[in-house]
Amino acid sequence: MGLGHKIRTGYAKLSFLSRLARQSHDAKTLPALPCQIMKQDGDRLRSLALFGAGVSGLLGCATIAYSDEAEHGLAVPNYPWPHQGILSSYDHASIRRGHQVYQQVCASCHSMSLISFRDLVGVAYTEEETKAMAAEIEVVDGPNDEGEMFTRPGKLSDRFPQPYANEQAARFANGGAYPPDLSLITKARHNGQNYVFGLLTGYRDPPAGISIREGLHYNPYFPGGAIAMPKMLNDGAIEYEDGTPATEAQMGKDVVTFLSWAAEPEMEERKLMGFKWIFVLSLALLQAAYYRRLKWSVLKSRKLVLDVVN
């Protein structure tokens, strides 16, 4: 075997090995392009999925908000009630006007079973005025010595009269709806004062596409939007004793003030007592701070010297 033959054989082996290496390299690198394309397509699909989820979430939130508004009523605005301040008190003239609105507008359907005539003394009326007001009603009392019930004129200890004898009579007179008791209405409803005011002044014509059943009235602040009580406050519906113009907003503000007082008649006394306690505790805090400074001033001003030599 000559030298030339060996050279040709080695060259053939090298060529074969190079071809194998090139095929192996191509087999590893050729699939990279489809994988890269699939990765880009996956990123696009993931982005589209996230965008679709976001849109679905927004639509879901809008649907929930709309259904919540339809179920619980439109959110009422917050009004600046003058008695909501820390040291603010009720407007007693407004309480008196609000009681007049209740008597002439609301009392024919709504009761206030927790309020007595004597509660009005010193708040909105004098004792003589309240006694005269109570004497105008007839109260069933008894039994007498013969075991029979009798009627008598009202007195200060009597509660406000009930418009209906029982719940069944109230529902029958109001088409199945039961007028709630108003003694604690501003506490029994969420955002009570604003809700009651918004409800009384919020009657509107139903928007396009919404039909209200006969006997009901559209009010966006009432849960469901349909309420059995018709609009009761209209400009000039009553005549105030003090000459205040009886506009719808004025009557709504006055009757809500009266109902707020009825639900929380002790508010002014509670605020006054709280202010007194804060004042007394502030004096006690100042005295404690002075006493602490007096007792500890000697120790805090003492200077300790460490003599390491001796």
Side-chain angles (χ1 to χ4, degrees), residues 244-275:
T244 301
T247 62
E248 177 186 358
Q250 182 66 51
M251 289 186 291
K253 180 257 184 184
D254 291 335
V255 74
V256 170
T257 302
F258 169 71
L259 295 176
S260 300
W261 164 82
E264 203 173 8
E266 78 289 348
M267 185 199 72
E268 294 176 336
E269 182 179 356
R270 187 186 70 244
K271 287 183 177 180
L272 181 60
M273 184 60 64
F275 178 76

Side-chain angles (χ1 to χ4, degrees), residues 41-155:
D41 292 341
D43 293 340
R44 292 194 187 98
L45 291 175
R46 190 178 298 109
S47 300
L48 290 175
L50 292 175
F51 178 74
V55 172
S56 301
L58 290 176
L59 292 177
C61 292
T63 304
I64 292 173
Y66 178 78
S67 61
D68 183 75
E69 178 180 318
E71 181 180 358
H72 301 288
L74 186 67
V76 295
N78 291 319
Y79 299 99
W81 299 100
H83 53 268
Q84 282 187 330
I86 298 178
L87 298 179
S88 301
S89 61
Y90 288 117
D91 182 355
H92 289 259
S94 182
I95 293 177
R96 178 165 181 148
R97 293 193 300 267
H99 177 256
Q100 186 179 349
V101 175
Y102 168 75
Q103 272 192 319
Q104 300 184 20
V105 179
C106 309
S108 58
C109 296
H110 294 274
S111 62
M112 294 191 73
S113 58
L114 302 180
I115 306 298
S116 302
F117 285 99
R118 61 187 173 192
D119 296 329
L120 298 173
V121 177
V123 176
Y125 300 93
T126 63
E127 183 175 352
E128 290 73 17
E129 290 175 328
T130 311
K131 285 182 178 180
M133 187 188 310
E136 295 177 356
I137 65 172
E138 294 289 333
V139 179
V140 178
D141 203 349
N144 56 16
D145 295 337
E146 300 177 356
E148 297 179 352
M149 304 298 290
F150 61 94
T151 59
R152 59 166 176 81
K155 52 186 180 181

Side-chain angles (χ1 to χ4, degrees), residues 113-296:
S113 58
L114 302 180
I115 306 298
S116 302
F117 285 99
R118 61 187 173 192
D119 296 329
L120 298 173
V121 177
V123 176
Y125 300 93
T126 63
E127 183 175 352
E128 290 73 17
E129 290 175 328
T130 311
K131 285 182 178 180
M133 187 188 310
E136 295 177 356
I137 65 172
E138 294 289 333
V139 179
V140 178
D141 203 349
N144 56 16
D145 295 337
E146 300 177 356
E148 297 179 352
M149 304 298 290
F150 61 94
T151 59
R152 59 166 176 81
K155 52 186 180 181
L156 291 179
S157 59
D158 292 326
R159 301 289 179 90
F160 283 7
Q162 304 287 327
Y164 303 104
N166 47 57
E167 180 179 344
Q168 288 74 16
R171 291 187 180 276
F172 178 78
N174 292 277
Y178 181 58
D181 187 272
L182 300 183
S183 302
L184 301 174
I185 194 66
T186 58
K187 293 294 185 182
R189 298 293 186 270
H190 175 68
N191 200 6
Q193 301 177 73
N194 297 316
Y195 168 76
V196 175
F197 182 83
L199 183 70
L200 292 175
T201 60
Y203 285 87
R204 304 287 188 272
D205 294 330
I210 295 181
S211 59
I212 302 298
R213 182 168 57 86
E214 185 179 359
L216 300 180
H217 309 272
Y218 178 73
N219 192 316
Y221 299 111
F222 187 77
I227 184 173
M229 182 179 71
K231 180 179 175 62
M232 300 301 297
L233 299 183
N234 298 286
D235 294 341
I238 66 173
E239 185 177 350
Y240 281 132
E241 299 174 349
D242 58 359
T244 301
T247 62
E248 177 186 358
Q250 182 66 51
M251 289 186 291
K253 180 257 184 184
D254 291 335
V255 74
V256 170
T257 302
F258 169 71
L259 295 176
S260 300
W261 164 82
E264 203 173 8
E266 78 289 348
M267 185 199 72
E268 294 176 336
E269 182 179 356
R270 187 186 70 244
K271 287 183 177 180
L272 181 60
M273 184 60 64
F275 178 76
K276 291 180 179 179
W277 273 105
I278 291 175
F279 179 73
V280 172
L281 292 177
S282 300
L283 294 179
L285 179 63
L286 292 175
Q287 184 178 1
Y290 177 77
Y291 183 78
R292 177 183 177 278
R293 186 176 180 85
L294 178 66
K295 289 296 183 182
W296 285 86

